[in-house]
Amino acid sequence: FAMLALMNERALVAIALFLTGGALLATTFGGSPDLPPAFDPTFFPRIVLILWVALAAMEIASAIRRSTPSDKPAVWRIGALVVAVVLYAVFFTRLGFFITSVAFCTVSLLALGQRHIVTIAAFAIGTPAVLLILFNRVLKMPLPASPFVWWL
């Protein structure tokens, strides 16, 4: 029964997010042994990725509990999310945080079924903007900047 429960779209998306987050988390280990953990540049990304993996694991468990075997997975959604995460990682340092995050949020929301344009625009622009202000201005931890516009 557990294997059938994993064959629904919600569980497959959660598994894809879990595996992607786990792979990214694995890259944060083996950093500089000379720095204290709080000053290691992978410290904050590691915390975010641990939360990502934990939330994905909880979503897998929830999808298994609530699923019905008749749920047909939409493979294109899973593929779109995996490709979006990979492209986000590739272009994050080249195009800057804001541009890649807006594109990633837009693709993710569309892949997850959101169709309301105002909601997509609000989340895709608002969330990266708030995070950019939080990190660059409040925490004084600059995120990768855009090569096109200095303030993004």
Side-chain angles (χ1 to χ4, degrees):
F1 176 73
M3 192 56 151
L4 285 177
L6 289 175
M7 293 309 295
N8 68 63
E9 183 177 341
R10 189 171 164 196
L12 291 174
V13 168
I15 290 168
L17 290 171
F18 179 82
L19 293 174
T20 305
L24 291 171
L25 179 62
T27 66
T28 66
F29 292 100
S32 175
D34 302 338
L35 295 173
F39 293 103
D40 189 348
T42 62
F43 178 71
F44 183 73
R46 187 177 299 142
I47 292 171
V48 170
L49 289 167
I50 288 170
L51 291 173
W52 173 344
V53 169
L55 287 171
M58 288 189 291
E59 181 61 23
I60 292 168
S62 174
I64 290 171
R65 279 197 319 269
R66 294 186 191 165
S67 74
T68 58
S70 64
D71 292 343
K72 299 280 191 251
V75 175
W76 74 269
R77 290 179 194 248
I78 298 161
L81 287 171
V82 171
V83 168
V85 169
V86 170
L87 290 176
Y88 184 77
V90 169
F91 289 108
F92 182 76
T93 56
R94 294 181 184 144
L95 297 177
F97 169 78
F98 187 77
I99 293 171
T100 53
S101 295
V102 168
F104 175 75
C105 287
T106 302
V107 169
S108 297
L109 288 169
L110 288 170
L112 293 172
Q114 183 57 251
R115 296 292 177 255
H116 193 260
I117 191 73
V118 175
T119 303
I120 293 171
F123 277 97
I125 295 170
T127 302
V130 168
L131 289 172
L132 187 72
I133 291 167
L134 175 69
F135 279 91
N136 286 358
R137 304 288 181 237
V138 177
L139 298 175
K140 305 288 187 211
M141 294 174 61
L143 294 169
S146 168
F148 310 113
V149 182
W150 66 270
W151 48 272
L152 289 178

